[in-house]
Amino acid sequence: MIATRFSTLSANARQAYEFALAGAIGAVFGLFFYVELINTSSIWLRDALAGALIGGAIGFALNSAGPLRDGAWLTLARATTWGACAGMIGGAIGLVIGEFILGGFQGGLIGRAVSWSVLGLGIGVSQGVAYRSREKLIFGLIGGGLGGFVGGWLFEALRQALGNRTDLGQGIGIALLGAGLGLGLALVEQALRRVWVQVINGRQEGRSYLLGRGVSTLGLDEQATVGLFGDPAIVRKHAEIAYANGQYTFRAIDGNARSRVNDFTVGDSHALKDGDVIELGGTRLIFRSRG
Amino acid sequence: MWTVALATLLVLQAPATTPADQAPKVVITQPDESKFPEITVYFELRKPDGTFIRDAKQSEFKLMEDGQERPILGFDSPVTLVTKPTTIVLVLDRSGSMLQHGKITALKRAVGSFLDDLPQGSRVAVIAFGSQIRVACPFTTDIEEVRSSVDRITPGGATRYFDAVGEALKLLGDESGRRAVLAMTDGLDTDSKRPVEDVVAAAQRLGVPVHTLGLGEGDEIDTESLNKLAEGTRGQSYRAKDAEGLKAIYQELADRLGSTYSLQYQTDRKVPDGTLRPIKLFYAEAKEVGESAVFIRGMVVPAPGWSRLFLVLVVSLSALAALPSFWKNTQSGKSAKHLMENGR
């Protein structure tokens, strides 16, 4: 049990780390596209396009981190389309409002920090809205707002310290904004999830999947709730976890495939409780349920 | 000893004071950064007696941005043949109290002569406010159209002065070049939703001067707020007791709008980077330097040519992303051995 708890903790840390880096990489790419591609003299149009590129890139990166590790291309396409579109809208609105705010402050450290914070808020909100999740919205706000504030502050501080050199400060600043967003969104998931399974070994080690109220499928299928790839002993429709009357129940669908819970072969079905270890082929998952 | 020194000082200063009395001061009315990197500075040379110098030459000016002298690229004085059109919003009080003492007639007459005196090509819009604020006349260069729409104004309702000025600024937001708001009222603002500070901030953001005109006597008018609005926006606050006074003020304003210089210089910022640039404008004969600051918008800076830095950032972030797997792999050797020993 101690070993399990330890691995959960490190898996959580790793997930947060990955999300933060994904956000940072997305933000840096977005800024790069803006700087290299956008060439218009109208400040507001330029701002809207810049916001759309930065927000879109962050939205894309944050939503691609998980599916990319799984190698689930269909899921990747679906998730990133939504995430990127929402991020584009949120970023564009956030940057235009931020520009207004920076004008109000007439520049300066605090002005830059607050205006960038608004850009982060815009992208954070968009990720919450895209998934119709109030929790994601709130943590997106916190992560984006804080990340943007620190990033903007650092940008202005570096610009002033380096004799008006904008590239370095802005590059690092935007990476911090993206990292803040990624971290915020990862922490929300970890703090607020109720029922989920987490992969213990194999290629997807550490990945966790939220289980809803209904039937969640496990298997090699791209459409599966818990898509498990890279284990040759797992079949397309391997097993399912169904919810009914306050109880999650594990069922093996394919009788020929190896399915075990807590080292016992499951015949028809097995009522799951927190900490149960599910074994599909050679892949082990832990079932977690809170409250 | 001290008396001698003092006397000498007085004597030395005496001849200098007389011309200094007449020496104009440079007043920057509006810096405009909309054509970045070219900055246009609108200013006037105001003499202590309230009149303006109109025939100063470009060579008599020197411009500094953030302590560095910048060459003046373009210069227009009021006497230059090509007049620069001005965009003006007239904010007129049509509250119920304007019916008293024939104030509305006096206002219409004063505005009429103001329109005659305006520099040719000026664009004018009119906002009339009572309880409701409406655009009585959208922007036009047709002075007759403005005149007839002013004549059609009928009084009635409360006073929403600051809201009306806010609307005027909104109209000017899409305009470029030399801009001004002339906002007239005859009473205390009773119904505005926006506080005066809010309106001042909006005008400062646009760099538009708001000239305020109070018509009436004593505490009928919130002099303090009108002063605050004018001073905060580099405009002037005027006060008229009667019809004659009102007419004189509108005439002076027309005169003033026809006394504005403009000059262009190139800022030393290569990209719009969201910084505030202090400006100082020196005039050879002036005793007071014109000071202002132009804010160059740019929350996210379009600084090109950072491909190398971009690569460094992406490579280091990717390296960080790969770090846990790498670490895991070096560890897994150990744990596999450990598992074997325990006999799984």
Side-chain angles (χ1 to χ4, degrees), chain A residues 244-289:
Chain A
N245 305 324
Q247 178 61 53
Y248 283 87
T249 310
F250 177 86
R251 267 188 217 102
I253 298 176
D254 194 323
N256 296 324
R258 178 182 149 98
S259 300
R260 287 155 75 95
V261 175
N262 297 338
D263 290 336
F264 293 103
T265 306
V266 177
D268 184 24
S269 64
H270 179 96
L272 289 167
K273 59 181 193 305
D274 184 38
D276 280 351
V277 174
I278 301 165
E279 209 174 326
L280 305 176
T283 305
R284 283 142 59 88
L285 305 103
I286 183 164
F287 174 82
R288 302 304 311 263
S289 154

Side-chain angles (χ1 to χ4, degrees), chain A residues 230-250:
Chain A
D231 180 347
I234 288 181
V235 298
R236 184 161 285 278
K237 293 195 191 311
H238 201 117
E240 64 180 33
I241 297 174
Y243 174 84
N245 305 324
Q247 178 61 53
Y248 283 87
T249 310
F250 177 86

